Amino acid sequence: MSIEIGEKLPNVELKVMGDKGPESVQTDDLFTGKKVVLFAVPGAFTPGCSLTHLPGFVVQADVIKAKGVDSIICTSVNDAFVMDAWGKNQNADEIIMLADGVGILAEAVGLEKDLTEVQFGVRSQRYAMILDDGVVTYLGVDDKGVEKSSAETILAQL
Ligand code: BEZ
């Protein structure tokens, strides 16, 4: 069962790339007291995520932030080196690339996706959330396409 609107994001420890390598971060520190857009993808550098999903947020980042959003966070079940390289490759300077290396967040929010069939292992579903002080106020999960989790949909929800 997945997290629902009105529920608080569980606190988990994940990784972001720092100046000297991957650094631990608590999700509570990223979300508490802030309005945050979080979106998750099945895999860095995959076509759907690289051609459509992440670029939409890169293009709309300023507009989203102008609507009172403190941070935009992209997460995937990939390590911090991959997430950092993907963010640089996509010019995602305004987006925090949050590495959920072993799927702790995906499992904690009940939004894992078993992609063993294509040798990806267990990843995250594609989704986007708006969170206010860590509490989910919008959740859109996409099985195919990015209808409910795109930057445009998030903008319409803000
Ligand atoms: C994608 O293009 O988004 C994708 C490709 C393979 C596995 C998962 C996602």
Side-chain angles (χ1 to χ4, degrees):
M1 177 129 160
S2 87
I3 193 166
E4 293 180 355
I5 289 167
E7 291 184 340
K8 191 174 183 303
L9 197 77
N11 184 43
V12 294
E13 183 176 317
L14 300 175
K15 299 282 183 186
V16 288
M17 186 56 78
D19 292 340
K20 294 178 185 161
E23 291 176 358
S24 293
V25 62
Q26 302 290 325
T27 50
D28 269 2
D29 291 336
L30 294 173
F31 292 91
T32 303
K34 294 177 188 162
K35 188 164 188 172
V36 178
V37 169
L38 169 70
F39 68 101
V41 301
F45 290 104
T46 60
C49 311
S50 271
L51 297 175
T52 310
H53 207 184
L54 176 55
F57 283 94
V58 171
V59 168
Q60 301 287 358
D62 287 338
V63 187
I64 290 172
K65 288 186 176 177
K67 289 205 167 201
V69 170
D70 296 297
S71 339
I72 304 169
I73 301 177
C74 174
T75 189
S76 179
V77 180
N78 289 110
D79 65 68
F81 291 98
V82 169
M83 291 301 282
D84 185 54
W86 191 38
K88 287 179 174 143
N89 172 266
Q90 294 276 323
N91 298 312
D93 309 329
E94 305 244 26
I95 297 173
I96 297 170
M97 303 302 287
L98 183 63
D100 184 16
V102 290
I104 296 170
L105 178 63
E107 185 182 353
V109 296
L111 288 166
E112 315 100 307
K113 184 169 190 162
D114 189 350
L115 291 172
T116 305
E117 201 175 301
V118 289
Q119 299 196 358
F120 273 38
V122 178
R123 297 292 183 104
S124 173
Q125 294 188 50
R126 188 185 302 284
Y127 67 83
M129 290 180 192
I130 302 170
L131 302 106
D132 222 323
D133 196 22
V135 175
V136 180
T137 61
Y138 170 81
L139 170 62
V141 183
D142 282 309
D143 187 28
K144 290 197 169 72
V146 293
E147 193 193 330
K148 296 176 194 152
S149 62
S150 69
E152 288 71 22
T153 299
I154 287 295
L155 264 177
Q157 293 290 331
L158 286 167

